[in-house]
């Protein structure tokens, strides 16, 4: 009897592209706030896109396109974005999604790239869901997608710099986010389980990693490895670092912060964009950290906002954010306007 039932389910799913399981899940979803459903959907979607990123590298043909000076795009960026946008727009057709890569919305998406499952570990937070986000509607939300952050590093084999970023902004504020590391644990050798997904929401906290404090008596600063200039290095030096860690990936740098590897992320440059910072900022804020521009102003994430973070990025977690703001030279602040 079970085999017959499975065949019916299979045929139903093939004919309708929808599964009774998904439909039953939707009926179970009545009492679940929209924001929690989007977050619960974003984690499996990020995991799925991480698998596509690994597949492209394994196949060996990256299909690199130069978008501009020092700005690459690979088949992995394109595939991950198609997967993420197709999946989230199927589940949430009325929510604005802004992704880094220009992909053709009408191109055919492989059915197995469309991920509509929901992470049960996240749904269980319906019981302690923050009151302030309960009534959030589709039109309040913008999902900022960086399908592959650290593309340059991905092409150079610095795979621990690579993350998938899905940020969820509510009325212009970074509120929830997912940072997936497709190559987490990749140095553990063959057979190691690859990948890790960290997620968080302001008012709920952050999950999927072990929080650590940075070493006392030091002031370790992380910044760019590939987009440096005099303003960037002067600003880092002005913050009196005991050590400077130059790595790729905006998501990767914020992970270094929340895992206690560094004290601050100082980037006095207009290089990164809203899709680089939305998810990391939401997770950082969820645990009491701060991410602002170098003037100390909060970044805005509504759908009309300019994509470039023209006034740079300063992110801290367990130290005094204002101390770093006061150290940034006025010349840098004059050079970088919001
Ligand atoms: O998603 P990509 O294009 O890899 O994102 C870039 C950022 O836009 C860029 O600012 C970062 O530059 P730095 O390494 O100089 O911080 C780059 O690493 C990627 O995050
Ligand atoms: Mg890019
Ligand atoms: Mg990026
Ligand atoms: Mg990117």
């Amino acid at each position: 009897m079970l085999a017959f039932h499975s065949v019916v389910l299979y045929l139903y799913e093939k004919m309708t592209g929808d599964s009774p399981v998904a439909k039953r899940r939707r009926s179970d979803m009545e009492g679940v706030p929209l924001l929690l459903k989007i977050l619960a959907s974003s984690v499996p979607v990020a995991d799925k896109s991480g698998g596509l990123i690994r597949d492209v590298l394994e196949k060996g043909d990256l299909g690199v396109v130069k978008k501009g000076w020092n700005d690459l795009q690979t088949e992995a960026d394109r595939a991950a974005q198609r997967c993420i946008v197709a999946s989230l727009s199927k589940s949430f057709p009325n929510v604005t999604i802004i992704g880094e890569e220009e992909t053709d919305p009408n191109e055919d998406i492989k059915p197995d790239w469309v991920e509509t499952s929901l992470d049960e570990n996240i749904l269980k937070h319906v019981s302690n869901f923050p009151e302030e986000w309960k009534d959030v509607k589709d039109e309040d939300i913008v999902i900022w997608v960086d399908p592959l952050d650290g593309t340059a590093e991905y092409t150079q084999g610095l795979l621990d710099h690579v993350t998938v970023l899905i940020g969820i902004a509510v009325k212009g504020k970074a509120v929830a986010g997912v940072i997936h590391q497709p190559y987490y644990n990749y140095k553990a050798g063959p057979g190691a389980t690859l990948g890790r997904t960290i997620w968080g929401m302001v008012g709920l906290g952050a999950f999927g990693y072990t929080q650590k404090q940075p070493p006392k008596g030091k002031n370790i600063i992380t910044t760019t490895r590939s987009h440096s200039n005099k303003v960037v290095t002067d600003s880092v030096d002005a913050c009196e670092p005991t050590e400077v860690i130059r790595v790729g990936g905006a998501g990767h740098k914020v992970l270094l912060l929340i895992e206690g590897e560094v004290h601050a992320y100082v980037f006095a440059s207009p290089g990164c964009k809203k899709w680089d910072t939305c998810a990391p900022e939401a997770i950082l804020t969820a645990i009491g950290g701060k991410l602002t521009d170098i003037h100390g102003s909060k970044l805005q994430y509504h759908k009309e906002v300019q994509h470039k973070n023209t006034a740079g990025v300063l992110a801290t977690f367990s130290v005094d954010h204002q101390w770093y703001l006061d150290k940034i030279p006025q010349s840098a602040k004059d050079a970088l306007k919001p």
Side-chain angles (χ1 to χ4, degrees):
M1 185 55 189
L2 182 64
F4 173 72
H5 181 66
S6 311
V7 167
V8 168
L9 273 183
Y10 175 79
L11 291 174
Y12 175 94
E13 197 164 342
K14 281 295 161 220
M15 284 186 306
T16 62
D18 192 356
S19 83
V21 173
K23 200 176 284 302
R24 192 173 60 243
R25 298 266 347 119
R26 273 196 284 280
S27 68
D28 295 348
M29 291 294 113
E30 293 317 312
V32 178
L34 172 63
L35 201 59
L36 192 61
K37 277 188 270 191
I38 294 177
L39 189 52
S41 175
S42 298
V43 166
V45 168
D47 291 349
K48 166 80 77 172
S49 62
L52 297 178
I53 289 169
R54 291 193 295 266
D55 291 350
V56 168
L57 191 61
E58 211 166 307
K59 289 194 179 86
D61 178 8
L62 297 189
V64 177
V65 167
K66 282 187 186 304
K67 293 193 294 184
W69 177 78
N70 208 2
D71 192 3
L72 305 178
Q73 180 197 77
T74 70
E75 181 49 35
D77 296 78
R78 296 186 288 271
Q81 174 146 326
R82 288 188 201 106
C83 164
I84 294 168
V85 173
S87 301
L88 294 179
S89 45
K90 177 173 168 77
S91 299
F92 309 102
N94 301 317
V95 172
T96 301
I97 303 173
I98 299 175
E100 176 182 356
E101 310 306 347
E102 301 291 328
T103 49
D104 174 359
N106 303 315
E107 74 185 307
D108 61 323
I109 300 289
K110 296 186 182 123
D112 67 336
W113 284 13
V114 180
E115 177 60 62
T116 56
S117 65
L118 296 163
D119 185 309
E120 296 289 349
N121 280 329
I122 295 176
L123 290 178
K124 72 184 180 197
H125 286 282
V126 68
S127 57
N128 61 326
F129 189 77
E131 194 61 36
E132 63 184 315
W133 312 128
K134 278 200 171 140
D135 300 328
V136 168
K137 299 178 187 58
D138 295 288
E139 59 270 24
D140 300 328
I141 295 170
V142 177
I143 300 176
W144 292 89
V145 176
D146 188 341
L148 195 164
D149 185 50
T151 303
E153 289 70 29
Y154 175 71
T155 64
Q156 295 161 12
L158 297 167
L159 300 178
D160 45 343
H161 299 200
V162 174
T163 61
V164 175
L165 304 174
I166 300 177
I168 305 162
V170 175
K171 294 180 182 169
K173 272 181 64 175
V175 168
V178 175
I179 301 179
H180 172 72
Q181 295 176 283
Y183 290 98
Y184 181 77
N185 214 17
Y186 86 107
K187 290 177 181 165
T193 308
L194 290 186
R196 173 176 71 158
T197 303
I198 291 156
W199 60 273
M201 178 184 287
V202 174
L204 208 51
F207 305 83
Y209 74 107
T210 308
Q211 197 163 302
K212 297 188 196 99
Q213 293 298 320
K216 295 207 182 311
K218 292 191 173 183
N219 180 20
I220 306 168
I221 291 179
T222 187
T223 191
T224 176
R225 70 177 278 275
S226 54
H227 298 81
S228 205
N229 58 38
K230 189 169 181 325
V231 173
V232 169
T233 49
D234 286 354
S235 300
V236 168
D237 294 345
C239 293
E240 303 166 17
T242 56
E243 186 185 349
V244 180
I245 296 186
R246 290 183 176 77
V247 293
H252 175 229
K253 295 181 188 70
V254 171
L255 285 183
L256 293 177
L257 204 49
I258 69 174
E259 290 198 289
E261 305 285 330
V262 301
H263 295 75
Y265 167 15
V266 179
F267 189 48
S269 161
C272 70
K273 289 86 179 179
K274 295 298 183 292
W275 45 73
D276 289 306
T277 50
C278 185
E281 177 178 340
I283 291 171
L284 191 57
T285 309
I287 58 173
K290 280 189 89 166
L291 188 149
T292 67
D293 66 21
I294 62 167
H295 304 274
S297 304
K298 293 284 291 167
L299 302 184
Q300 300 303 316
Y301 294 96
H302 51 78
K303 65 180 171 188
E304 293 83 16
V305 74
Q306 65 168 2
H307 292 173
K308 287 189 88 168
N309 291 321
T310 51
V313 173
L314 174 67
T316 58
F317 169 40
S318 53
V319 294
D320 178 1
H321 195 85
Q322 190 59 46
W323 185 89
Y324 290 86
L325 286 175
D326 295 343
K327 290 289 181 186
I328 302 280
Q330 190 54 44
S331 57
K333 291 176 180 168
D334 294 343
L336 291 167
K337 295 295 181 205

